[in-house]
């Protein structure tokens, strides 16, 4: 076994999921990630935890969604298992990243609505989402299998304490802020309030890799237009050239140059899917190229991402309304050129360089 796999498993067990003696642990992973699953079982055994392995098959998911007829019901048996667990580890790794490309977007949206109670229960426990480098994801990223393996291990097996200290400088700027203003090129000019909300420092705990700071906009405060110039890969399809116009927080109009119908399914899921739940700033410099994998792409340096749909409760202040939705869809814009982030009228990032870096101009 590649020693980096065991290192990854140890980081998950100690740093991310904090697996302890007696913990009931659910590991949800595809067969392609079996080596990491084996290493995680070793780590659970050493800590006296009780692992259960669920094989996550995109082919099986596709078969269910394409053949299902009628309303979806919340799977109470799955909910019961999550109620009994203490920690949840989800591992991604595709053999075919486009496996679910022919599932109807409306079917996906209906299924997500039915699964929302399960998702909420899972998110109430200790959890970690991570990636195993598979040939399918390497192909999607346009990389060799070996090159993608090196890319993944470099991004996830970081000194997370050092990364935390770097990111904390941006957290301190946003934590006391009122208004954030983002400008990029000629097509992005948007303002939002973050007053009263908390900014979190993602140091590779719930998401591995980490490498972002994120908060929630005040629900009705977002105004302006955004051109998300970096594509996203959702439901097996590439969505590119997304443009969104916000008025008083709500998405009032949108378009996409490719696969706009997938966006239709997102925004029609529920009313909360029409509002922003997250503003995030990527700060992981080990992620140095776009790979069509949001777990990595949203953390990339020189980027900002915004997610329509549910807000993370821990980012929403007591006096503010938490946006709720069965969706949480991140979209990214490039901030490396012709761009600024202003916080309360002061430029804190210009063309990807932060104000606390020596080369800020």
């Amino acid at each position: 076994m590649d020693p980096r796999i065991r290192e990854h498993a140890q980081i998950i067990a100690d740093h991310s999921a904090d697996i302890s003696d007696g913990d009931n642990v659910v590991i949800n992973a595809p067969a392609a990630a079996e080596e990491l699953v084996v290493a995680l079982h070793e780590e659970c055994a050493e800590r006296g935890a009780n692992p259960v392995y669920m094989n996550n098959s995109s082919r099986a998911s596709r078969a269910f969604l394409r053949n299902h007829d009628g309303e979806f019901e919340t799977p109470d048996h799955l909910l019961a298992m999550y109620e009994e667990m203490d920690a949840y580890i989800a591992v991604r790794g595709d053999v075919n990243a486009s496996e679910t490309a022919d599932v109807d977007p409306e079917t996906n949206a209906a299924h997500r609505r039915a699964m929302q109670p399960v998702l909420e229960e899972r998110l109430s426990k200790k959890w970690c989402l991570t990636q195993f480098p598979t040939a399918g994801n390497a192909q999607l990223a346009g990389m060799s299998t070996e090159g993608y393996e090196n890319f993944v291990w470099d991004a996830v097996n970081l000194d997370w304490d050092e990364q935390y200290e770097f990111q904390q400088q941006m957290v301190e700027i946003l934590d006391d802020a009122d208004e954030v203003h983002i400008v990029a090129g000629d097509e992005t000019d948007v303002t939002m309030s973050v007053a009263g909300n908390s900014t979190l420092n993602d140091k590779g705990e719930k998401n591995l890799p980490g490498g972002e700071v994120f908060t929630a906009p005040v629900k009705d405060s977002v105004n302006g237009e955004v051109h998300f110039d970096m594509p996203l890969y959702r439901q097996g399809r590439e969505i590119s050239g997304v443009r969104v116009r916000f008025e008083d927080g709500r998405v009032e109009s949108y378009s996409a140059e490719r696969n706009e119908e997938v966006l239709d399914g997102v925004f029609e899921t529920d009313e909360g899917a029409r509002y922003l739940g997250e503003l995030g700033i990527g700060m992981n410099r080990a992620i140095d190229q776009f790979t069509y994998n949001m777990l990595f792409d949203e953390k990339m340096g020189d980027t900002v991402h915004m997610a329509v749909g549910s807000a993370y409760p821990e980012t929403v202040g007591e006096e503010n309304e938490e946006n709720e939705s069965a969706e949480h869809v991140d979209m990214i814009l490039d901030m490396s050129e012709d761009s600024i982030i202003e916080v309360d009228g002061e430029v804190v990032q210009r063309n990807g360089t932060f104000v606390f870096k020596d080369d800020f101009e």
Side-chain angles (χ1 to χ4, degrees):
M1 182 183 295
D2 188 325
R4 296 174 296 183
I5 297 175
R6 283 201 166 91
E7 181 182 359
H8 189 144
Q10 187 174 14
I11 289 173
I12 293 170
D14 288 337
H15 175 75
S16 301
D18 188 26
I19 295 174
S20 305
D21 183 38
D23 277 355
N24 293 323
V25 182
V26 174
I27 302 170
N28 188 338
E34 184 179 25
E35 285 191 300
L36 180 56
V37 172
V38 170
L40 285 168
H41 277 70
E42 293 173 348
E43 297 295 333
C44 286
E46 289 181 4
R47 289 160 179 77
N50 310 305
V52 171
Y53 171 38
M54 296 173 59
N55 184 1
N56 182 1
S57 166
S58 57
R59 288 186 65 195
S61 296
R62 172 186 177 274
F64 174 67
L65 293 174
R66 281 181 57 84
N67 288 280
H68 187 273
D69 188 23
E71 297 292 323
F72 288 99
E73 296 182 359
T74 300
D76 291 335
H77 57 305
L78 182 61
L79 180 60
M81 182 175 70
Y82 287 176
E83 289 171 345
E84 294 297 320
M85 77 179 180
D86 299 293
Y88 178 84
I89 300 168
V91 183
R92 291 179 177 173
D94 295 307
V95 174
N96 177 5
S98 300
E99 187 64 56
T100 59
D102 54 359
V103 176
D104 182 73
E106 293 183 4
T107 300
N108 270 305
H111 184 245
R112 289 183 68 86
R113 287 192 293 270
M115 291 293 291
Q116 188 170 6
V118 178
L119 176 63
E120 291 174 352
E121 181 64 29
R122 176 166 67 79
L123 292 176
S124 73
K125 306 299 177 67
K126 296 185 294 186
W127 62 271
C128 174
L129 169 64
T130 191
Q131 177 75 37
F132 188 81
T134 60
N137 291 114
Q139 186 175 38
L140 185 63
M143 301 170 68
S144 68
T145 303
E146 181 180 3
Y148 187 67
E149 289 173 352
N150 293 334
F151 169 82
V152 169
W153 301 136
D154 287 347
V156 300
N157 295 342
L158 287 181
D159 181 334
W160 290 109
D161 290 335
E162 180 180 342
Q163 185 70 22
Y164 174 86
E165 293 299 327
F166 171 61
Q167 295 173 181
Q168 188 62 20
Q169 298 172 92
M170 193 64 201
V171 171
E172 292 171 0
I173 291 173
L174 287 172
D175 253 350
D176 295 328
D178 182 356
E179 185 179 83
V180 177
H181 182 202
I182 297 171
V183 178
D186 297 327
E187 295 187 83
T188 293
D189 191 333
V190 62
T191 60
M192 64 193 72
S193 173
V194 294
N197 287 345
S198 298
T199 305
L200 300 190
N201 188 335
D202 175 17
K203 59 173 184 174
E205 294 175 312
K206 293 179 178 179
N207 279 346
L208 191 60
E212 63 170 305
V213 300
F214 62 99
T215 187
V218 175
K219 184 174 179 179
D220 61 357
S221 71
V222 187
N223 284 284
E225 299 182 353
V226 183
H227 175 207
F228 294 102
D229 53 358
M230 304 183 79
L232 64 147
Y233 209 75
R234 182 170 174 83
Q235 299 170 8
R237 280 168 278 191
E238 178 186 334
I239 310 171
S240 57
V242 176
R243 291 171 172 82
V244 178
R245 182 172 58 85
F246 296 94
E247 290 185 10
D248 297 328
R250 192 176 189 273
V251 174
E252 291 298 337
S253 64
Y254 63 90
S255 64
E257 296 170 5
R258 185 176 184 186
N259 286 321
E260 185 176 309
E261 67 276 9
V262 181
L263 277 185
D264 294 338
V266 170
F267 290 127
E268 292 170 6
T269 299
D270 49 41
E271 183 61 16
R274 289 269 181 166
Y275 290 82
L276 281 187
E278 179 191 0
L279 168 67
I281 300 173
M283 299 182 70
N284 187 336
R285 295 295 181 182
I287 302 173
D288 57 2
Q289 70 179 83
F290 188 81
T291 61
Y292 290 94
N293 184 337
M294 192 59 70
L295 185 60
F296 289 76
D297 296 338
E298 69 174 2
K299 317 294 181 6
M300 185 164 51
D302 301 345
T303 65
V304 162
H305 59 276
M306 303 175 197
V308 294
S310 61
Y312 295 105
E314 57 267 42
T315 65
V316 182
E318 292 182 0
E319 301 300 318
N320 290 332
E321 180 183 356
E322 176 187 338
N323 191 44
E324 297 181 350
S325 173
E327 291 285 8
H328 183 92
V329 180
D330 294 285
M331 295 179 282
I332 306 174
L333 57 150
D334 182 0
M335 299 292 290
S336 63
E337 296 180 356
D338 195 21
S339 69
I340 59 167
I341 301 174
E342 287 184 340
V343 175
D344 295 335
E346 298 290 331
V347 177
V348 300
Q349 188 197 71
R350 180 180 288 110
N351 299 335
T353 302
F354 293 100
V355 67
F356 42 80
K357 296 292 288 181
D358 290 341
D359 54 347
F360 179 79
E361 296 178 356

